[in-house]
Amino acid sequence: MPDAPATNMNMIEAINDALSVAMERDLDVTVLGEDVGYFGGVFRATAGLQKTYGKTRVFDTPITECGIVGVAVGMAAYGLRPVPEIQFADYIYPALDQLVSEAARLRYRSAGEFPMPITVRSPFGGGIFGGQTHSQSPEAIFTHVCGLKTVIPSTPYDAKGLLLAAIEDNDPVIFFEPKRIYNGPFDGHYDRPVQPWAKHPASLVPSGHYTIPLGKAALVREGQDLTVLAYGTMVHVALSVVEELGVDADVVDLRTLMPLDIETIESSVKKTGRCLVIHEATRTGGFGAELSALVQERCFYYLEAPVERVTGFDTPYPHSLEWAYFPGPIRIGMAIEKVMKD
Amino acid sequence: MSRSNLPPLRLHVPEPPARPGEEADFSHIDILPAGVTPRPDSAADSATMRDLAYGLVRVLDDEGNAVGPWNPRLSPDVLRRMLRAMALTRAFDDRMFRAQRQGKTSFYMKSLGEEAVSIGAAFALQRDDMCFPSYRQQGILIARDWDLVDMMNQIYSNKGDRLKGRQLPIMYSAKDASFFSISGNLTTQVPQAVGWAMASAARGDTRIAASWCGEGSTAEGDFHAALTFATVYRAPVVLNVVNNQWAISSFAGFAGAESTTFAARAVGYGIAGLRIDGNDALAVYAATAWAAERARTNHGPTLIEHFTYRAEGHSTSDDPSAYRSSEERSKWPLGDPVARLKAHLIAIGEWDEARHAAQDLELAEQVKAAAKAAEKNGILGHGMHQPFATMFEDVFEDMPWHLKEQSAQMMSERMRKWPKPGEGPR
Ligand SMILES: Cc1ncc(C[n+]2csc(CCOP(=O)(O)OP(=O)(O)O)c2C)c(N)n1
Ligand SMILES: [Mg+2]
């Protein structure tokens, strides 16, 4: 995308643009899901696509997530490249059998006869007063399944490049979109005014086609004393906290949880000797546990302090106490104090 | 790709009759006159009544008369109580919708135009029959005289909220009203109602269960699992499908309505299916009473399709002018449920316009007073009203060590944010 003209986009517009570019380039790309057709999705991510690409390539579906993913598997078996939307990640559970037992394993069980180039898009995460059924972060359920890739963008620029790469990938990808930052980055201070994307450099999105390879993290801030591993909304919160506290930290935006960019993680931790892992999802068995174990296994002799985790609490996402639940600047700050001690 | 001598296949994608800017068109809907649909014995074999799944049970005709075999012959007193509950539900919805618009809470969902579905059924069921509602059956709570302040406390997630501010507004739970905790995940309540009914039958109880889900929700696997269990065990349950024509932006055709009725789902499972005028409170009452009698006499489940119309947006997050004709509401052929019951009471000389207008004023005052009382307990817009530690209660009966640690962590965060005693939320 070297010289392509770029425009400021929010994350929804970048995702919409990626879908449009993918559909333009490849007739097999097919978008389906609840309310995605005429209306263009409850978050407007598929707005205008049906009009441009027609009803047989962009269509509304019955309300059955199991059915949506099940037919996507069938379409992929035919040779299409389906991009189903699950309206909220909280509603992906009825589709689990089709994802876990089918899409994830078909390449393996058919010895390559039936690859599954499916990209399941779904908004996830909290911070919008959505209560327990519009706020969850279930990514660790999917990273635990062999055969699924899991991708989580944190900026409009990345969202477009990663989504195009996911759609072009020949394996099934769970593409979780942090809905809290659809319209602007978030520093974690819920009581401060919201910033629009336009002021952020990564809201400049080149037109046309470009990809960001899956499995490559981004070092979004460089420092010497601490490695912060984060993804999605929490990248922005982490950046703002380390700035506020004046910590000389590497901040790594993982972007892809599976496959994981272990090299970037390892080289950063070996440099800094300290590691903080942040996610919004619940703690126990969360992806942070995996990260923590990997760092401990691979960087043990470089570590100057135990790996710290900052996460959501192990409760359903509460409605009114949302901001007491959210792993915000105070929780992160306390963990930084701990991991930086002596 | 294809063999050249065969015609190419075509993918059918449903399309509603009218989109924004187009004339509303309900000509595809066959509206049978009131009173013509026969009423079988509630113990009859489901195989003998398959036609009912394609018919339309209606009691109130266009002149406000109650006609035909399904007329439940309710006393004027009961009719007036039903009318009042419907009007109260409407007044409640109106005020709470505005409260959301004023920033007092995060979310609201109205049941405008569908009040008869909940209230007709609640009047026909026993108060201790167990209801497994969707998010649009607030009318059941109101018909069961549930405290409006209690409902509003939940909507405001305030310190009076029995559910401790944990649930999205309108996701009530009211065990004392035999009203199950509402889920945000569609259709989960339908097999649960069947299970409750199976348990009641297994114990030789006399109570039955009922569930409600939207027509869009019938696509979920849970719905079909529920029907299978219901027929296999002849569960004493009434399964209601509220066909309000829309599921957010998707018309009923995306749930299968282009090819058959929702009541007809019952036929394949061998259970009784009734398709009824959901804007006719008397038809809802009569069908529910029939199904309840069938269940209570061990003749098994009934599926009732309530044919109605979602008169406004899906929720406060929705703008229906983006996907459907704005004329639809006024052109809807089955009218408005409150207006129709009111016309009937007037036609039989038991009500008049002046009393109705006075009642509307009185109900608006009642709702306003309730809102004032609830707002004394706080509104969501003003922050967090629950003691922070309540977040960790009820995950389990007994709190494991890790939740105790996390709770302590949260309290230390709270101390950082609000170090002085008495500062910040409770
Ligand atoms: C499992 C699941 N999938 C999707 C949703 C998102 N959603 C909420 S309401 C709704 C439409 C439901 O329509 P319908 O069943 O017709 O009920 P109505 O809103 O018309 O009463 C959708 C898709 C959800 N809540 N749960
Ligand atoms: Mg509906």
Side-chain angles (χ1 to χ4, degrees), chain A residues 280-293:
Chain A
E280 192 185 337
T282 50
R283 187 177 190 84
T284 304
F287 195 67
E290 182 65 30
L291 290 170
S292 172

Side-chain angles (χ1 to χ4, degrees), chain B residues 114 135-136 214-217 242-248 250 310:
Chain B
E114 303 174 36
Y135 44 70
R136 232 183 276 285
E215 88 295 335
S217 300
V242 185
N243 178 3
N244 63 5
Q245 314 302 320
W246 290 92
I248 313 185
S250 303
R310 195 194 79 205

Side-chain angles (χ1 to χ4, degrees), chain A residues 91-151:
Chain A
Y91 305 140
I92 204 166
Y93 307 123
L96 273 190
D97 198 29
Q98 288 290 345
L99 285 168
V100 174
S101 314
E102 302 299 315
R105 292 192 213 144
L106 265 156
R107 173 185 295 281
Y108 193 80
R109 86 179 191 222
S110 70
E113 274 192 339
F114 292 104
M116 286 289 128
I118 300 171
T119 302
V120 180
R121 291 182 39 249
S122 190
F124 89 126
I128 59 154
F129 278 108
Q132 53 194 273
T133 56
H134 303 88
S135 306
Q136 293 164 56
S137 298
E139 65 273 14
I141 293 177
F142 300 97
T143 54
H144 189 60
V145 174
C146 359
L148 294 178
K149 295 184 176 176
T150 302
V151 177

